Amino acid sequence: MANADTPRGFWPLRHLSGGTPTRMNSYSIASGASGNMFNGDLVKLVAGGGIQVAAAGARVVGVFAGCEYTDASGDVIFSNYWPSATVATNAIGYVYDDPMTTFGVQSDGSTVAADVGNLGDHVATAGSTSTGNSSFQLNGSTGTAYAGMRVLGKIDSPDNDWGTNVLLEVQIYEHEYGSSLEATTPGV
């Protein structure tokens, strides 16, 4: 049976030490910040400790899980996504930022069992402003060259087979708080 092509970004699966990955931290979002941030998008740090959506190949701090802010009319808004260029005060984004958290994500190509342990970058695709959900995927071309995510395996589900659009478990390899020596020591 063919896997469904329904990208939905990254979602937390588990913590490598055991238990559920419910740990999120808050980060500031600059008023008027450009670029939508959708629930399930990878985000990176910016000057001053804030966040914005991460392009493929960027080091990331984690996975965006929604936000809250006070809009121009004084209303407090809770949202799955940050609308680009929103003028707001007290804007906070919630992020799964623990480098030991694993995530589910759909492959945008054909990934096979031999790819477990390989590295791959994400594909940054625009999400849905109606649902607030991401459409990020993992690039189906993985390898041993330095990249953002490490493939840990296939998500165990009866309707999920190795191949095109397989749902994978990954860990952020290029993490701001994390494990990659190559990120801090050039040439290693």
Side-chain angles (χ1 to χ4, degrees):
M1 180 168 128
N3 296 317
D5 185 10
T6 54
R8 58 179 174 141
F10 291 78
W11 65 94
L13 290 177
R14 65 186 175 102
H15 193 273
L16 288 175
S17 67
T20 321
T22 57
R23 297 169 254 206
M24 289 182 286
N25 285 304
S26 58
Y27 293 83
S28 64
I29 302 173
S31 180
S34 64
N36 292 326
M37 283 184 279
F38 294 98
N39 181 22
D41 280 359
L42 294 171
V43 291
K44 67 178 185 173
L45 292 175
V46 295
I51 56 169
Q52 68 181 194
V53 72
R59 287 180 58 80
V60 299
V61 72
V63 174
F64 188 77
C67 61
E68 68 178 275
Y69 56 90
T70 304
D71 69 11
S73 65
D75 294 327
V76 177
I77 306 296
F78 296 90
S79 179
N80 267 355
Y81 85 103
W82 170 261
S84 181
T86 297
V87 175
T89 56
N90 305 320
I92 296 171
Y94 297 101
V95 178
Y96 289 101
D97 64 354
D98 186 327
M100 299 301 285
T101 298
T102 70
F103 297 93
V105 65
Q106 177 181 293
S107 172
D108 83 332
S110 182
T111 306
V112 297
D115 292 320
V116 172
N118 281 352
L119 302 172
D121 280 322
H122 69 282
V123 178
T125 312
S128 167
T129 57
S130 60
T131 66
N133 292 325
S134 175
S135 290
F136 277 26
Q137 299 179 77
L138 183 73
N139 188 321
S141 298
T142 66
T144 57
Y146 190 63
M149 302 290 134
R150 179 174 304 280
V151 176
L152 301 178
K154 174 180 77 77
I155 293 175
D156 190 20
S157 175
D159 57 350
N160 187 39
D161 297 317
W162 288 110
T164 304
N165 302 322
V166 62
L167 300 179
L168 300 168
E169 180 179 18
V170 300
Q171 182 181 15
I172 298 171
Y173 186 72
E174 290 181 292
H175 199 293
E176 286 292 346
Y177 306 143
S179 56
S180 169
L181 291 176
E182 292 178 58
T184 56
T185 310
V188 173

